[in-house]
Amino acid sequence: MSEQSKSSQDPDHTPRVVIVGAGIAGVQTAVALREQGWRGAITLFGDEPHQPYDRPPLSKAVLLGKAEGAAFDVDFASLGIELHIGRPVTALRPEAHLVETAEGQVRYDHAVLATGAEPLALPGSAGLPHVHLLRTLDDAERLRPVLAARHEIVVVGAGWIGAEFATAAREAGCAVTVVEAADRPLAGALPAEVAAHMAGWYAGSGARLRTGARVAAVEAGTVLLADGTALPADAVVVGIGARPATGWLAGSGVALSPDDGSVLADDRLRTSAPDVHAVGDCASFPSARYGRRLLIHHWDNALQGPRTVAGNITGGPAEGVVYDPVPYFWSEQFGRFVQYAGHHDRADELVWRGDPESAAWSVIWLRKETGPAEGRPDRGRLVALLAVGRPRDLAQGRKLIERGAVLDRARAADASVPLKAAAL
């Protein structure tokens, strides 16, 4: 029996949640619904032909051949979750409470958009067999023999994914050149005074980093830069960012951001369409904590958001469950464990904890206030923290951010003082 006929002929009209996207956000939403007492049907659609899997291992264990996959340890059948892999949802019809697939329409009472993000392609590289992205399991499988052959690789983009891939490629014994159009790595995430100390990590690992370098063209075996430099490249890996995968929502009436294409969810992760929620990389949401809308392309957001969505679907508090997390992510690169919590703006004050040329150091950001009272130490609310090899700083800092703690600047700058002891 097809899904369409099942949905339309259920004599008891079983309430149904349809989840579009079988990455971590979609899978965790399905699991959270059962944990929070949803007794109706749950239908989970995934584009890829693989069992749902986690993405972080793709740039590490899977890429290096240390693991065959990263499938979630979820027994979908025992949880009563109808899983459809290799079945993309092509359209959403909120007025009829339907989603459309190639195999027919499926009714829903609640829909959850969890389609994630799509990596940005390098202009002019379409169809070139030696140009790779790294987002899916198939991408990692195609790149694994490239690393095993110890090819000469050019990585375009010195962001988080570029650094992680360069780390894995160097571990595999490849010659690696990373080209970045900005004047420093992680230009979109960290200020120059912090990123400057991370640029040396590349050379320390044996990778070459070229900043202020724009790609003019990619040819067979060569990457041409705008300054005329020709870089030999058996393979090119592109890591220049990602965009919410929301193109399929065209014509649905679901409001999207004109800037980044994200679903404009509210603070309860509800969209502009009735009974439609959005979670993970495809959705932005207003944060009261930071006074702005956030779009977070990181694993922890895709893990935490589903609990809010499930709570609002299953009928938690009458006013709904508000989603306002302290953003968090981590990255393993060049032998270092890098963690970040919170969100900072350019106007926030940066305070160092430790020597950035050492193996372990942190940076915190304090929100500037109108000014200290006479005779009292200058102070500000902790809003973000970057920790390199200092997990205790991260753990304590994340809790301080959650409670809106104000720190004594002098004590916070003393790396020998536990961060929690700097709270006023």
Side-chain angles (χ1 to χ4, degrees):
M1 181 180 295
S2 71
E3 189 66 46
Q4 180 180 10
S5 59
K6 279 179 63 179
S7 299
S8 60
Q9 295 179 16
D10 282 345
D12 59 350
H13 299 288
T14 302
R16 178 179 301 274
V17 177
V18 168
I19 303 169
V20 186
I24 185 172
V27 169
Q28 289 299 320
T29 298
V31 172
L33 282 166
R34 288 294 184 232
E35 290 177 343
Q36 297 188 35
W38 177 259
R39 296 185 178 180
I42 300 175
T43 303
L44 176 63
F45 289 103
D47 287 7
E48 297 180 51
H50 311 288
Q51 285 293 306
Y53 60 88
D54 207 3
R55 295 192 188 277
L58 298 185
S59 62
K60 306 173 184 71
V62 175
L63 195 59
L64 292 171
K66 298 178 180 179
E68 291 304 314
F72 292 116
D73 185 18
V74 175
D75 189 337
F76 295 98
S78 69
L79 290 173
I81 298 168
E82 302 167 12
L83 173 63
H84 298 269
I85 58 177
R87 187 175 174 185
V89 172
T90 56
L92 176 74
R93 295 178 51 197
E95 74 287 351
H97 276 58
L98 293 172
V99 297
E100 296 184 358
T101 75
E103 292 80 9
Q105 300 173 337
V106 180
R107 172 189 60 81
Y108 66 81
D109 294 274
H110 298 275
V112 181
L113 313 181
T115 47
E118 299 168 327
L120 298 176
L122 186 67
S125 66
L128 297 177
H130 68 300
V131 177
H132 303 263
L133 300 171
L134 181 54
R135 180 71 179 180
T136 68
L137 181 60
D138 289 338
D139 291 337
E141 293 292 352
R142 282 190 289 266
L143 276 165
R144 192 189 312 195
V146 174
L147 267 62
R150 299 186 176 183
H151 281 309
E152 186 147 11
I153 298 175
V154 170
V155 180
V156 182
W160 300 112
I161 191 65
E164 290 185 359
F165 178 81
T167 299
R170 285 299 300 139
E171 184 176 336
C174 299
V176 178
T177 300
V178 180
V179 296
E180 168 58 51
D183 62 355
R184 62 188 187 274
L186 298 170
L190 298 174
E193 59 190 298
V194 177
H197 296 283
M198 305 168 86
W201 296 356
Y202 287 81
S205 75
R208 295 179 295 273
L209 173 64
R210 296 179 64 109
T211 57
R214 296 187 176 276
V215 175
V218 178
E219 301 174 352
T222 305
V223 172
L224 298 175
L225 302 183
D227 65 1
T229 302
L231 300 175
D234 298 307
V236 179
V237 177
V238 180
I240 57 176
R243 186 174 177 84
T246 54
W248 68 281
L249 290 168
S252 68
V254 172
L256 303 178
S257 167
D259 299 320
D260 54 38
S262 64
V263 177
L264 293 172
D266 67 8
D267 62 357
R268 290 153 177 81
L269 299 182
R270 300 172 301 198
T271 76
S272 61
D275 303 316
V276 179
H277 309 253
V279 66
D281 291 5
C282 70
S284 59
F285 59 91
S287 168
R289 186 190 311 278
Y290 291 105
R292 58 170 294 171
R293 179 169 287 273
L294 298 179
L295 174 61
I296 304 172
H297 284 180
H298 293 296
W299 185 88
D300 191 68
N301 177 56
L303 179 68
Q304 302 296 336
R307 298 168 189 165
T308 296
V309 171
N312 287 324
I313 289 176
T314 56
E319 67 277 11
V321 181
V322 173
Y323 188 61
D324 196 4
V326 174
Y328 167 75
F329 71 90
W330 79 95
S331 176
E332 296 178 83
Q333 50 185 270
F334 309 118
R336 296 165 176 84
F337 186 45
V338 183
Q339 296 173 282
Y340 179 94
H343 174 81
H344 71 273
D345 293 320
R346 290 183 179 180
D348 296 325
E349 181 182 5
L350 185 153
V351 179
W352 291 95
R353 281 175 58 82
D355 180 1
E357 295 303 318
S358 68
W361 50 274
S362 297
V363 171
I364 63 172
W365 284 268
L366 302 178
R367 179 61 43 88
K368 288 188 176 179
E369 299 181 339
T370 55
E374 189 67 29
R376 295 176 59 187
D378 195 6
R379 62 183 190 173
R381 179 167 57 91
L382 179 65
V383 293
L385 180 144
L386 173 76
V388 178
R390 289 180 66 97
R392 183 173 298 178
D393 273 5
L394 190 287
Q396 293 181 9
R398 192 175 185 182
K399 292 178 181 178
L400 292 170
I401 296 170
E402 285 175 350
R403 74 174 202 236
V406 172
L407 303 189
D408 177 279
R409 179 186 290 99
R411 290 180 63 79
D414 187 343
S416 68
V417 174
L419 196 58
K420 63 182 180 182
L424 295 171

